[in-house]
Amino acid sequence: MSGEGGSGAVTGGEGGGSGVGVAGEGAGGAAGGTAGVGETGCAFVDPALTEDCGEVVHTLLLSQLRLDDYGGDGRVSAGESMRVSVTLASDDQSFSYPAVGLSDDNPLVTIAPALPDTHLYALTPHQQTDGTFDFLVDPSVAPGTVVQFTACPGRLSRFCQGGPRLSFALTVQPRLPPTWTTTPGRPAGSTSCGVGTSNIDRVCAGLDKVTWSNPRATFFVIGPSMYVSVTAWLTNADARDHTVCVKGTAGDKASTSWYPSVAAGKSTAAGFGGIDLGPPLPSGTTVHFTAWTGLSEADCPNGSRIDFDATVP
């Protein structure tokens, strides 16, 4: 099975900020920042989320820091999201259940996934794997705020207590108008996640406080067809947790349903997997996307909806 991918640029001049003036020090760190010489392991991590990964962790290498903001202008603003990728490589020894972790020093910057994510049984000698994360800068973060990040090795869903550290910093810029639009309710003619209920006000209470932002479309080709996956952020301003149903469309093609959980007062990355668009679309083609939320327990009228356009790379 072969494939090629790319993230469609959201059209319309998404707001940006400065700075992907990156970086740091550590194994493979970009020039320009600081990290203490000899420091190991992730900073800004609760010790309860770490484990002793053994001496072999000190032979690993972190490198190839890559930053890709959702807006496509190479900058990060208050209210904007960005994708981070880091490569973890082994030396002469194997490392079991390898993962990459990413942490930051600002509680208003949310990283997803929050914990290291393992995709391989082991890194054999001189093998490498990537860790990819999305992060969201809360709109309330003041312009000029410097956010410090560290990437480090992990194992399963824990950060390693030691090993190499790759540090970098980003400066947040003022928020500019978004290129997406948000409206209440699902699109006319679309299917609901749940069915009606006699107590719809109670069941659906607070759903309108789970809102969308920062959508991103990723196009890829497998065999004769082009597919697209959509990721966006859901922020829950309610006082209680919500598990929502997420559905969407790419042009006239519908997605399956997904069921992300969003904790009270928190944000999480959500979306839907590859929608088959049929034969590959020409580069530069604009596709319209719509995503909406609901509940599996009822046909709620107070879900949220986001619309945006993306361009095939």
Side-chain angles (χ1 to χ4, degrees):
M1 182 168 68
S2 62
E4 61 184 53
S7 297
V10 179
T11 60
E14 158 81 11
S18 106
V20 180
V22 232
E25 193 171 326
T34 60
V37 175
E39 291 181 322
T40 62
C42 257
F44 325 122
V45 174
D46 182 342
L49 300 177
T50 67
E51 72 167 54
D52 183 356
C53 297
E55 289 300 314
V56 68
V57 72
H58 297 285
T59 69
L60 301 175
L61 175 68
L62 287 165
S63 64
Q64 300 181 48
L65 173 66
R66 302 173 297 282
L67 299 171
D68 179 20
D69 73 303
Y70 278 31
D73 59 3
R75 303 178 177 188
V76 61
S77 308
E80 192 179 29
S81 293
M82 182 169 282
R83 178 161 291 180
V84 178
S85 295
V86 178
T87 297
L88 177 70
S90 59
D91 193 2
D92 294 327
Q93 302 181 61
S94 293
F95 183 69
S96 60
Y97 303 109
V100 179
L102 183 68
S103 65
D104 72 87
D105 68 344
N106 192 317
L108 295 176
V109 176
T110 303
I111 296 173
L115 296 173
D117 195 8
T118 296
H119 302 287
L120 296 174
Y121 174 74
L123 274 181
T124 57
H126 307 292
Q127 188 182 14
Q128 64 184 37
T129 187
D130 288 337
T132 300
F133 307 85
D134 293 280
F135 70 83
L136 173 68
V137 180
D138 190 89
S140 66
V141 175
T145 298
V146 177
V147 183
Q148 302 287 342
F149 294 84
T150 64
C152 60
R155 173 171 282 163
L156 295 176
S157 59
R158 290 289 183 267
F159 298 85
C160 291
Q161 292 172 357
R165 173 186 295 183
L166 190 159
S167 301
F168 63 98
L170 296 176
T171 302
V172 178
Q173 291 298 306
R175 189 179 187 188
L176 295 181
T179 59
W180 60 86
T181 59
T182 55
T183 52
R186 58 185 171 85
S190 62
T191 58
S192 64
C193 293
V195 296
T197 176
S198 59
N199 199 354
I200 196 167
D201 290 340
R202 179 185 63 81
V203 173
C204 301
L207 181 60
D208 57 324
K209 296 182 180 179
V210 181
T211 55
W212 293 98
S213 70
N214 287 275
R216 179 188 186 98
T218 302
F219 297 86
F220 53 98
V221 174
I222 301 176
S225 295
M226 172 173 280
Y227 297 81
V228 63
S229 295
V230 170
T231 302
W233 284 84
L234 287 173
T235 298
N236 182 6
D238 199 10
R240 62 172 179 161
D241 299 349
H242 286 282
T243 297
V244 299
C245 171
V246 171
K247 302 182 78 171
T249 58
D252 60 354
K253 308 291 186 181
S255 77
T256 55
S257 300
W258 295 77
Y259 299 91
S261 296
V262 197
K266 301 293 185 179
S267 299
T268 190
F272 41 87
I275 297 177
D276 188 348
L277 299 177
L281 299 171
S283 177
T285 300
T286 297
V287 181
H288 184 76
F289 296 89
T290 301
W292 61 95
T293 59
L295 294 178
S296 58
E297 299 88 350
D299 182 5
C300 296
N302 60 333
S304 61
R305 166 183 170 181
I306 188 168
D307 286 86
F308 70 102
D309 292 331
T311 303
V312 177

